Amino acid sequence: LKGKKIVYDGDSICSSWGTSRNGGSYPKIIADIVEGTFDNQGVGGGRLRTQEGASDTFHSIVDNLVNLPTDGDLYCFEGGVNDHWHDTILGTFSESDYTGELDKTTFCGALEAIFRYAITNFVGKPICYIITHKCPYSAFSKYGTEHTFADFRKAALGICEKYSIPVYDAWKDSGINSWNASQLANYFIIDEDKGTGDGTHPNEQGYRRYYV
């Protein structure tokens, strides 16, 4: 990765609300370590799914694909938590259909559309996906839909496998668990109302230890 440019898109876990807070999240920290550059297009509240009209004002990762630079050496996508929180339909995917129409209003359709676009438009460039860690108040809650974020994760893993996309599964492999009181206090930004870590947004050390 030395000297390489990594392009990112995702939500607030990716963006860290800009480069000044918490060390700039993993995009900036990685670039500093490897003496490379980055283009972080993640935005707080970002969702994978497409916008469906004027009432939708969130950052749509699938809609933003056309704005990504083409000179990246690696493309890294992250998201799904906000889709789950805001009742995006999980949807379905076929393990063998690579050309059929996709419903980008669903989580599965949007993620497939992201990978199809990236594979076609960033030929020869590595593409990866990040599944976020277990956020304490959402991991197994249904949030108005019939699915938990655990279900979203399983679908994401299946779609990554379908398109042969490498995935960092922070849910399973990061070692961070926001139900752990010590980790909550030491590796997440402080929720001032609760006086403890919010369990969703890592602080700089949380990023360095569990994402970078």
Side-chain angles (χ1 to χ4, degrees):
L1 292 178
K2 184 176 178 63
K4 302 296 184 180
K5 177 179 179 178
I6 307 177
V7 179
Y8 300 86
D9 203 352
D11 53 31
S12 59
I13 298 173
C14 175
S15 74
S16 189
W17 295 285
T19 58
S20 61
R21 186 170 186 178
N22 300 335
S25 186
Y26 48 82
K28 182 178 185 300
I29 297 171
I30 291 171
D32 289 344
I33 291 172
V34 302
E35 299 178 353
T37 61
F38 69 99
D39 185 327
N40 185 359
Q41 300 209 10
V43 177
R47 308 177 204 174
L48 293 180
R49 78 165 177 89
T50 188
Q51 294 185 349
E52 295 185 88
S55 61
D56 279 344
T57 58
F58 58 85
H59 172 70
S60 166
I61 297 167
V62 69
D63 291 346
N64 191 55
L65 289 167
V66 296
N67 297 317
L68 298 182
T70 59
D71 62 344
D73 296 297
L74 167 65
Y75 290 81
C76 184
F77 299 95
E78 175 265 323
V81 171
N82 288 300
D83 287 274
H84 179 244
W85 287 344
H86 296 283
D87 301 335
T88 296
I89 296 170
L90 176 60
T92 60
F93 70 96
S94 164
E95 294 182 349
S96 57
D97 182 359
Y98 291 87
T99 59
E101 185 176 352
L102 299 172
D103 183 355
K104 294 188 291 184
T105 66
T106 70
F107 174 82
C108 289
L111 187 57
E112 280 210 70
I114 290 167
F115 291 157
R116 285 189 190 180
Y117 182 95
I119 290 169
T120 301
N121 289 275
F122 310 130
V123 177
K125 307 296 181 66
I127 301 159
C128 66
Y129 183 67
I130 295 174
I131 298 175
T132 55
H133 62 276
K134 298 181 183 73
C135 299
Y137 44 86
S138 64
F140 305 105
S141 301
K142 294 186 177 180
Y143 273 76
T145 71
E146 60 180 318
H147 298 287
T148 66
F149 188 73
D151 298 323
F152 277 58
R153 168 188 171 266
K154 291 177 182 177
L157 287 172
I159 294 169
C160 287
E161 182 175 339
K162 174 181 177 178
Y163 289 91
S164 303
I165 300 295
V167 56
Y168 173 51
D169 186 0
W171 172 284
K172 173 178 175 288
D173 296 324
S174 64
I176 194 168
N177 188 325
S178 54
W179 280 275
N180 181 294
S182 176
Q183 290 184 336
L184 192 65
N186 290 290
Y187 297 113
F188 291 94
I189 65 170
I190 298 299
D191 183 327
E192 294 180 358
D193 293 331
K194 298 179 180 179
T196 187
D198 72 358
T200 298
H201 304 98
N203 59 24
E204 182 175 353
Q205 290 307 310
Y207 281 125
R208 288 183 181 278
R209 182 179 292 269
Y210 298 110
Y211 274 87
V212 172

